[in-house]
Amino acid sequence: MENITYAQAVERLEEIMNSIQGGGMDVDKLAVALKEASELVQFCRGKLYKVDEEVKQLLEDIEG
């Protein structure tokens, strides 16, 4: 999963959501899709946290 960008992860999450909302997904595929979505959400959260920390550090450097 580390080979994808934040934008690619969000795009894939949107694809999964659209598939689920379409109602045509069987239960077995639903479980797999939800697992993938969970991993993508964790990946995105990690990216956002890292960027947030970098921005905070840059702001501290500017102020200091």
Side-chain angles (χ1 to χ4, degrees), residues 1-3 12 15 19-20 22 24 27 34 40-41 56 59:
M1 171 127 0
E2 307 217 359
N3 296 333
R12 180 64 185 135
E15 290 172 2
S19 293
I20 292 170
V27 174
L34 289 175
L40 288 165
V41 167
K56 286 178 184 176
L59 291 174

Side-chain angles (χ1 to χ4, degrees), residues 50-60:
K50 183 178 176 184
V51 169
D52 182 55
E53 291 300 312
E54 290 173 358
V55 168
K56 286 178 184 176
Q57 185 62 49
L58 288 170
L59 291 174
E60 286 177 15

Side-chain angles (χ1 to χ4, degrees), residues 19-43:
S19 293
I20 292 170
Q21 290 175 341
M25 190 177 287
D26 67 34
V27 174
D28 295 324
K29 289 183 180 179
L30 177 62
V32 173
L34 289 175
K35 182 175 187 267
E36 182 183 359
S38 175
E39 292 170 358
L40 288 165
V41 167
Q42 288 177 341
F43 172 81

